[in-house]
Amino acid sequence: MAAQSVGNTSDATTGSATMGRAAVISVLTALTLFGPSLAAARLKMDDKASLWPRAGASEKIDFTNRVGKSMSTLSPGLDSGYFMRCLEEVANIGDTKDLTLSDMVRTCVSLQGSRSSATE
């Protein structure tokens, strides 16, 4: 009976190790399969502006963070919060079918420039 109990313990340990490996393989497989699709969902400067209203909040935040980091070197007012507000406004003003996100960003930069020169 004791020998059988020891045998069951080693089988249980082997079973736990196998389940642990299976869990690790499952996680790695999920990251491999879903990782590229998450990267593909990232908004890019050459994307059509019509994608902006349909993009998810996390995609918009990611895009405005990247733009804000690069543009804030030009002016401290060109941060991610400014771009989020501005891109939302520009996207809702009119027909954006021929515009790219780059065009919208340039519009936001020029609007900020005209606001700062008007206050001087």
Side-chain angles (χ1 to χ4, degrees):
M1 189 83 153
Q4 185 179 19
S5 175
V6 171
N8 288 343
T9 304
S10 81
D11 288 343
T13 305
T14 304
S16 298
T18 303
M19 288 178 56
R21 279 189 230 123
V24 169
I25 290 171
S26 298
V27 169
L28 291 175
T29 302
L31 290 174
T32 303
L33 293 175
F34 298 120
S37 65
L38 292 175
R42 192 175 218 197
L43 291 171
K44 298 175 287 307
M45 290 292 265
D46 59 343
D47 285 343
K48 291 289 185 184
S50 58
L51 288 177
W52 182 262
R54 297 187 309 244
S58 62
E59 293 172 280
K60 290 179 179 181
I61 290 168
D62 175 61
F63 183 79
T64 57
N65 282 342
R66 287 184 283 131
V67 172
K69 282 180 186 175
S70 64
M71 295 296 182
S72 64
T73 59
L74 297 173
S75 171
L78 295 173
D79 61 3
S80 62
Y82 169 75
F83 280 106
M84 181 63 81
R85 290 186 304 276
C86 185
L87 291 172
E88 288 292 329
E89 289 177 21
V90 171
N92 292 322
I93 286 176
D95 185 15
T96 61
K97 68 180 174 187
D98 293 331
L99 297 176
T100 63
L101 288 177
S102 178
D103 296 329
M104 289 175 48
V105 167
R106 281 195 298 270
T107 300
C108 291
V109 170
S110 66
L111 286 171
Q112 177 68 15
S114 66
R115 286 179 188 164
S116 62
S117 65
T119 60
E120 290 178 355

